[in-house]
Amino acid sequence: MKLVLDKRGDSMVIVRSLEQQDYDFFMHMHYESINILEGKPPKHELLNAPNIKKYNKGWGKSGDRALVALSDNKLVGAVWYRLLDEMDKGYGFVDSETPELGVAVLPDFRQQGIGAILMKEIIQQARYDGFSSLSLSVDPNNHLAVRLYEKLGFEVCGMSGTSLTMKLTI
């Protein structure tokens, strides 16, 4: 189990590996990470859509990794990556050796630095796991997210639909 402590104001943020009992929360974070501002389908419907299901179907295979953040012993965020291939590309697909990353924090805990903590930890984990890069997809109008990713070293390398594809070489 990976355990990272980070003092934030009066509370402590703990980052650790995803555990079996966290799976429902993890799926909720996956839903939260999908930036649809109006008319967002219900969670079960969206996460089972063919273009989204590839991100969670059979979670735990080789190339999958997830971390969760806790504040005051409550799950508040998650970050993860998954390797996809040419035959089943994701929105942030770059190549079959670059895992695609996702991150989400519960609304009440956003803009407190938890997303940045999670991102820094998953980048370290990816390096430890032997990956040389990570990619992601982000709505260009999600300025806070884009700014965070740029600050962490991600660079725009393309577009998929209306979303930016960004890549970090680690």
Side-chain angles (χ1 to χ4, degrees), residues 2 5 9 19 23 27 29 42-43 46-47 50 54 58 60 73 90 113 119 127 134 151 159-160 169:
K2 181 169 183 71
L5 302 175
E19 297 175 356
Y23 189 74
M27 292 306 292
M29 289 294 89
K43 180 167 48 173
L46 184 58
L47 294 182
K54 70 183 87 185
N73 230 12
M119 291 290 291
R127 188 178 295 120
L134 288 168
K151 190 184 292 187
M159 291 284 291
S160 179
T169 301

Side-chain angles (χ1 to χ4, degrees), residues 23-94:
Y23 189 74
D24 287 342
F25 176 78
F26 171 64
M27 292 306 292
H28 181 68
M29 289 294 89
H30 188 160
Y31 179 75
E32 285 289 320
S33 75
I34 302 168
N35 192 33
I36 298 174
L37 300 178
E38 292 182 19
K40 189 171 184 176
K43 180 167 48 173
H44 180 76
E45 181 182 325
L46 184 58
L47 294 182
N48 286 296
N51 58 329
I52 301 295
K53 193 170 185 163
K54 70 183 87 185
Y55 289 106
N56 58 58
K57 184 180 179 185
W59 182 263
K61 65 181 185 160
S62 178
D64 290 350
R65 178 71 71 178
L67 304 173
V68 293
L70 297 92
S71 180
D72 294 327
N73 230 12
K74 177 185 178 192
L75 290 164
V76 297
V79 65
W80 58 92
Y81 58 73
R82 173 166 251 193
L83 269 178
L84 298 171
D85 61 37
E86 285 282 337
M87 301 305 292
D88 202 17
K89 295 178 182 180
Y91 292 102
F93 183 82
V94 173

